[in-house]
Amino acid sequence: MADQPTQKPSCGPTTFLNFPFEDDLDNLDADIAVFGIPFGMPYSPDGMANDQSFAPDALRQTPTDADIGYTLNHYDFDLGGPLLDGRDIEVVDCGTVTADMADHAAHYRNAEAAVRKIVKSGATLISLGGDHGIPIPILRGMEELGEKITLVHVDAHIDWRNEIDGEHYGYSQPIRRASELDWIGDIIQIGIRGVGSARTGEVEFAKAYGAVIITAYEMHDMGMQAVLDRIPDGGPCYLTVDADGLDPTIMPDVISQTPGGLTWVQMHKLIRGLVRKGRVIGMDLVEIAPSCDVGSITMAHAERVLCSFIGATVRAGYYDKVA
């Protein structure tokens, strides 16, 4: 692959929470880097620009300036203080990876190259999707870390399909592709339920790999702390969150609404628990379809997920400066 993206990331009219825009990934000096990856590999020639591809900009544009002021500066009871806890933390928005509608794979190449640079800089990555194909280039780019990574996956579906209509890199396949990477170790899947694209063979393949599949009903019965106890300590860890892994009462803005998903309290506890177990090197939030939202419920919870992750990593001491 090329040493750098063929084009620099672009940015729309605003950045996430008005954090500074930074597109010089070769000289990135930040603690947290927000990055939009809007397109997965489509299963049909006209399927690339789907509703989910608008989510990165929608997530950036939903809060008003007044809301952003509150989010950044006021006491947040979800976190125990202001978002950045009064610390010297540099958060930047690296824009949105470029795409070429005549060459769908170019988007993944550009995304992977950008992720490699962000990881090499030492920044924690927050990726805004896009459909669930985007962890494929992200996890490829995580090779730059040089360590075995635990993958934690929140979803209604297991995403272990190998091939659909000749395509191997779409939204039903990211966990199968992750399992093929030498630097991905344990895979823990949380909130699985309902009927998705998985056949019995894919479930058996996932179990043969050693994936820990925790259904939504097991999760509700055992509690989130017991789920956390099944995730290895120490890290590094990467968190991928499909919005339909959360219950549709709080994330209705998805294509596959499936009752019984994670509640807000469970998601909040998962994030806080993960960062305490070891370093979480990044996360993505995917499969939000902006045109399907109901009273901005999804966007409100999406912002809470992202802010909870930022605030939790700050308080875990990830960015403490060594004198």
Side-chain angles (χ1 to χ4, degrees):
M1 56 166 286
D3 290 335
Q4 62 182 26
T6 55
Q7 292 178 278
K8 281 191 172 185
S10 62
C11 195
T14 189
T15 61
F16 182 68
L17 296 182
N18 288 343
F19 286 122
F21 174 58
E22 178 57 77
D23 67 349
D24 184 2
L25 302 186
D26 291 308
N27 298 291
L28 184 63
D29 183 16
D31 298 302
I32 301 171
V34 179
F35 191 48
I37 308 179
F39 303 109
M41 288 295 287
Y43 292 129
S44 62
D46 60 350
M48 192 169 180
N50 54 29
D51 199 357
Q52 296 94 321
S53 67
F54 298 103
D57 283 342
L59 287 165
R60 290 174 170 125
Q61 295 170 17
T62 296
T64 65
D65 286 340
D67 291 334
I68 290 171
Y70 278 107
T71 300
L72 294 177
N73 302 313
H74 285 216
Y75 195 98
D76 188 333
F77 279 91
D78 289 353
L79 302 173
L83 180 64
L84 300 182
D85 201 33
R87 308 188 195 196
D88 181 19
I89 306 294
E90 183 70 19
V91 185
V92 298
D93 190 325
C94 295
T96 297
V97 68
T98 55
D100 182 348
M101 293 303 171
D103 178 8
H104 294 163
H107 186 65
Y108 274 13
R109 292 195 299 270
N110 289 343
E112 180 185 343
V115 169
R116 286 180 179 273
K117 293 184 177 186
I118 292 170
V119 172
K120 188 175 182 178
S121 79
T124 301
L125 174 67
I126 297 178
S127 295
L128 311 177
D131 69 38
H132 214 165
I134 73 162
I136 294 174
I138 293 171
L139 294 174
R140 286 173 176 168
M142 291 289 172
E143 180 186 18
E144 202 68 36
L145 188 70
E147 297 181 59
K148 206 80 162 180
I149 299 167
T150 295
L151 177 59
V152 177
H153 171 215
V154 174
D155 203 329
H157 315 107
I158 64 168
D159 291 350
W160 278 81
R161 291 294 298 274
N162 183 45
E163 176 270 337
I164 297 177
D165 295 334
E167 180 56 62
H168 292 77
Y169 301 100
Y171 58 79
S172 292
Q173 297 152 320
I175 310 304
R176 180 69 166 256
R177 299 288 82 86
S179 74
E180 298 165 349
L181 301 175
D182 292 340
W183 51 95
I184 299 298
D186 292 290
I187 297 176
I188 297 89
Q189 303 186 258
I190 305 167
I192 308 302
R193 64 197 190 279
V195 180
S197 66
R199 275 66 164 176
T200 300
E202 279 99 39
V203 177
E204 292 173 346
F205 192 93
K207 290 180 177 178
Y209 174 89
V212 177
I213 299 175
I214 303 172
T215 69
Y217 311 103
E218 293 172 313
M219 173 198 65
H220 291 308
D221 285 344
M222 71 171 66
M224 187 52 71
Q225 185 55 56
V227 172
L228 285 162
D229 290 343
R230 299 185 68 178
I231 300 172
D233 291 333
C237 170
Y238 183 82
L239 173 64
T240 178
V241 180
D242 186 320
D244 67 35
L246 281 71
D247 194 77
T249 55
I250 62 171
M251 282 277 187
D253 187 0
V254 296
I255 301 301
S256 300
Q257 293 181 346
T258 309
L262 276 71
T263 66
W264 166 248
V265 173
Q266 290 169 330
M267 189 70 218
H268 179 60
K269 187 167 186 175
L270 174 62
I271 291 171
R272 289 166 61 91
L274 282 179
V275 302
R276 290 169 177 166
K277 293 175 76 70
R279 189 175 182 91
V280 184
I281 54 175
M283 71 159 291
D284 61 63
L285 178 58
V286 303
E287 293 288 351
I288 290 174
S291 70
C292 301
D293 208 358
V294 179
S296 296
I297 292 173
T298 300
M299 290 302 175
H301 283 90
E303 190 227 22
R304 285 286 81 197
V305 168
L306 298 171
C307 288
S308 289
F309 181 74
I310 292 170
T313 62
V314 167
R315 285 156 178 81
Y318 282 15
Y319 319 114
D320 290 350
K321 308 299 189 288
V322 178

